[in-house]
Amino acid sequence: MTLLNIIYITLAVIFALGFSYFQYYVKSKRNKKERLILFTLRTLSVFTLLFLLINPKIKSVTIQKVKPDLVLALDNSESISYLKQENNLSEIALFFKKDEEINKRFNVHNIGFGSEILAIDSTNFNAKQTDIFKVLDDVKSSFKRKQNASILVTDGNQTLGRDFQYFNASKNQKIFPIIVGDTTKFPDLSISKLNVNRYAFLENKFPVEVFLNYSGSKNIASRFVILNDGETVFSEEVNFSEENRSVRLEANLPASQVGTQTFSAEILPLKNEKNTVNNQNNFAVEVIDERTSVLILSSFPHPDLGTLKKSIETNKQRKATIKYASENIVKLNEYQLVIFYQPNNSFNNWFEAIGKANLNYFVITGTKTDWNVIKKSLPFLSKSGSNTEQDFYAEINPNFNQFQFEDIGFLNLPPLQDKFGDLKIDTDFETLLYQNLEGVTTKQPLLMISRNNAKSSAFLFGENIWRWRTKIFLENKSFEKFDKFIGGLVQNLSSKKKKERLNIEYESFYYSNEIIKFDAQFFDENYQFDPNANLKIKLKNDSINMVSDSRFLLRNNFYQVSFNDLQPGEYEFTVSEENSGIKKTGKFSVISFNGEEQFSSANFSKLKNLADKNESQVYFPDQLENLKSELLNDNRFSIIIKENIKSQAIIEWYILLFILVGLLAGEWFYRKYKGLI
C-alpha cells in the first residue's frame, strides 16, 4: 500500500468520525446509548464507502516450493524375465517409491517401457521389443523446461530404434543408469542380424545376408546352416578369434515353390554354451510367380517419365519400361499396364492396339496433349477450351474408396499444368483428386479412375508430377510417401480382378514379435463404401485347439483389427459381414522369433558409454544408497522457493459491499425501531 493511500485512509477516518459526531452529538437530544449506536453505525458506513472509493491495492505473498522431477524408467521387456531380474527391478522401484527423503526432495514419476512407453504402478515384463532411445528422448521432450533426474533401470539390451549409447541429454536432464542382470561375458555365438527380402520370384534365387557374432577370447570354429523343411539348403564353416569377432555371410537360396517358405538359420553352438537361443533365427519368404510390367509410352522426353519409372520400380515386384510412340516393335503381351503420356497423333495406332489386347491403361495429359486424338480414340472423354496453360492444384476426395491410400499433403504440393478448359466425361468414374484453382475447389477431376468389370483405366489431367516427388523428398527426406501412392495406384490399375464387395489386406506370414493387422473394406450393392458394415474375423489354429473371434473397427474409409499375442503356427481365418452374409477365407503363418531372448547378459558397455557421454556413472542394484546420496547432494536438484506476489484492488472485495449495505440497513432499521423515521 502506497503512502498516498495511507494519507487518504487517515483523512477518511477523520471525515467519518467528524461527520458522524456532528450529526449525532452536536445539539442532539437523544440519550447516550442511542447516540453511541447511531454514531458507530454511521462512522463505519461512511468510512467503508470512502475506503471503497479510495480503492487501495492489497498485496499478498504466497510461498511455493517447486521440487525437481525424478523419472524412474523401468524396463518392462521380456528380456528382464528371461535374465531372471524381475525381483531386482521391483525392489528398485519400491525403494524409490517408499524412501521419505527422496519423495520429500523429488516428484517421483514411474514409467515402464518396451517398444512403447506407459505410466505404470507395476511391471509385467511382457513387452516383446525394447526401445531405450525412445524412452530417453520422450523424457527429454516432456521435461525439457524442468530440472529432472532420469533413472534408467534396464539390462541395456535394445531390439528396436536408434542406438541409445549415443543419446545426448538436455541441459536440464541428468541420466543415471542402473544395470540389472549379469554383466559377466560368457563365450557365446549368436546371429546378430539377418536380412532377407519378404518376397522372391519363382525359379529365381534370393539373397540372405547374415551377421554372426562371437563373444570370447579363444580361437574357435563352428558351422552355419540354413534348413528348409529339415533339409540343409546352405552350409558354411566359420572361424572366430578374439580379434575376429564378427563374420558376414551371404547365401543365395532357390525359390522353387510358390507360397510361403519357412527357413531356420543356425550357428552350431559351442560346447557348454550358456545361451543357445540366440544361435537360431527363423525367417520366411513368400515366393510369387508374377511380376507386374508397366509400359510408359511417350512421344518426347520429359522428367515425369523417369519419375514414374523410379516410383514404380521401388517395389521390386514391378518393372517399368519407357518406350516412344514412334517404335513399332513392342510386345504388348509382356505388360499388365500401359501409361500413355501426353498422347498426340503418333498414338492413334497404340490406343487401338491396347483395346485389342484388353490391357488396362493410364492416360496423363499436359500442355502438349492433342485432345482431338483422345476424343477420337476415347469417345467418352473430351475437353473444350483454348490452348492457354493453367495451373491445377490437387485436393483429395475424402469419399474415394476404390483402394486405400494416404493423404500425402496433396493440397500443399506444387500445381500440375494442363490446357485450360472444361472436361466432358461420358462414363462411370470415381474422382480421387479434384482440381483446385487458386484456392477454389472445383468438381472437375484432376485424377480419376474408371472401372468396367475386369478392366480399369485412370486419367491424370496435368503434367510435372516430378515436382510432387521432389517436394515430398524436401519435406520428409524420403520419396517413400510419393512412391507408395504411385505404387498403390499402379497395383490397382494392373489388377485384372473384378471388383468385390469385401476386400481384405493382410500378409501371408508374420513374425511373432510383430503386431498382426488386417485391413478390410466393404462395399454396398452399388460398390460404395459402407461405413455401417458389421465385420468380424474368426481365427483358428487346429494344432493348439485355438479359436478366436474379433470385430473390425472403423478407421476412416477402412476397417481394421489387430492381434499382438498369437503363438507361432499356421492360422486359418474367416472374415464375414453379418448383415449380408458375405464371407472370405484365407490363411497365414506366424513365424517364431523373440528378440528379447537373444541376450545372455546385461549390456554393460553401452550403458557405461551412455553414462560417460552424459557425465554420469552407472549403478548396480546394491548401490541404491550411493545413488540416493548422489541425488540428494547434487545442487542441480535443489528445491526452488518461488515467491508469488498477488496485487488485488479493494473494490474487488465484494464482502465490503455487503458490509456497507448491512451497516446502512442496520442504521435504518434501528432508527425505524426507535421511531426516529
Side-chain angles (χ1 to χ4, degrees), residues 504-555:
I504 307 169
E505 290 190 11
Y506 65 99
E507 301 291 346
S508 59
F509 67 89
Y510 301 87
Y511 292 105
S512 56
N513 62 336
E514 288 184 274
I515 296 177
I516 298 169
K517 290 183 180 180
F518 286 77
D519 291 338
Q521 284 187 310
F522 185 77
F523 302 93
D524 60 23
E525 293 180 353
N526 296 320
Y527 292 101
Q528 298 297 313
F529 178 74
D530 185 355
N532 300 312
N534 193 354
L535 292 177
K536 72 175 185 179
I537 183 171
K538 182 177 182 179
L539 287 183
K540 185 172 69 171
N541 186 327
D542 291 333
S543 63
I544 57 174
N545 295 321
M546 174 268 196
V547 177
S548 174
D549 290 313
S550 296
R551 292 195 176 274
F552 284 80
L553 298 178
L554 182 62
R555 307 285 191 206

Side-chain angles (χ1 to χ4, degrees), residues 349-574:
N349 295 332
W350 286 106
F351 277 110
E352 184 179 350
I354 294 303
K356 290 180 179 179
N358 197 31
L359 288 176
N360 295 341
Y361 59 89
F362 181 14
V363 177
I364 301 176
T365 66
T367 57
K368 296 181 180 180
T369 301
D370 188 336
W371 277 94
N372 292 324
V373 172
I374 293 181
K375 184 176 181 180
K376 179 181 177 182
S377 302
L378 307 172
F380 58 84
L381 180 63
S382 63
K383 189 171 190 177
S384 61
S386 64
N387 288 325
T388 305
E389 295 180 3
Q390 177 70 49
D391 287 343
F392 297 101
Y393 289 89
E395 184 165 343
I396 195 171
N397 175 14
N399 298 317
F400 180 83
N401 55 40
Q402 287 206 21
F403 63 91
Q404 299 169 28
F405 68 97
E406 178 186 359
D407 183 358
I408 60 177
F410 290 103
L411 196 56
N412 298 319
L413 296 176
L416 302 183
Q417 284 188 321
D418 202 350
K419 294 179 180 179
F420 179 79
D422 292 327
L423 289 167
K424 294 182 179 180
I425 306 167
D426 187 20
T427 187
D428 292 332
F429 68 92
E430 188 171 359
T431 300
L432 194 156
L433 298 175
Y434 287 116
Q435 294 178 3
N436 184 293
L437 299 178
E438 300 179 353
V440 178
T441 304
T442 71
K443 293 300 181 181
Q444 294 275 294
L446 180 67
L447 175 58
M448 71 178 195
I449 294 178
S450 175
R451 185 181 292 276
N452 182 13
N453 289 327
K455 190 170 182 179
S456 300
S457 57
F459 301 86
L460 176 64
F461 303 109
E463 63 177 287
N464 294 329
I465 198 173
W466 66 270
R467 293 178 179 172
W468 286 11
R469 193 171 191 256
T470 302
K471 173 74 171 178
I472 287 174
F473 180 82
L474 292 175
E475 291 183 348
N476 302 281
K477 307 303 179 187
S478 169
F479 298 113
E480 182 179 357
K481 286 187 175 182
F482 178 86
D483 294 342
K484 189 175 180 180
F485 170 70
I486 294 295
L489 183 60
V490 169
Q491 180 182 10
N492 180 267
L493 292 174
S494 58
S495 173
K496 286 287 187 180
K497 294 181 180 179
K498 184 177 180 179
K499 188 170 184 179
E500 298 177 331
R501 291 182 60 186
L502 177 59
N503 295 322
I504 307 169
E505 290 190 11
Y506 65 99
E507 301 291 346
S508 59
F509 67 89
Y510 301 87
Y511 292 105
S512 56
N513 62 336
E514 288 184 274
I515 296 177
I516 298 169
K517 290 183 180 180
F518 286 77
D519 291 338
Q521 284 187 310
F522 185 77
F523 302 93
D524 60 23
E525 293 180 353
N526 296 320
Y527 292 101
Q528 298 297 313
F529 178 74
D530 185 355
N532 300 312
N534 193 354
L535 292 177
K536 72 175 185 179
I537 183 171
K538 182 177 182 179
L539 287 183
K540 185 172 69 171
N541 186 327
D542 291 333
S543 63
I544 57 174
N545 295 321
M546 174 268 196
V547 177
S548 174
D549 290 313
S550 296
R551 292 195 176 274
F552 284 80
L553 298 178
L554 182 62
R555 307 285 191 206
N556 297 323
N557 63 337
F558 64 96
Y559 294 89
Q560 188 178 85
V561 67
S562 60
F563 305 90
N564 58 4
D565 56 354
L566 295 184
Q567 298 182 30
E570 301 292 327
Y571 290 83
E572 296 178 352
F573 69 86
T574 301

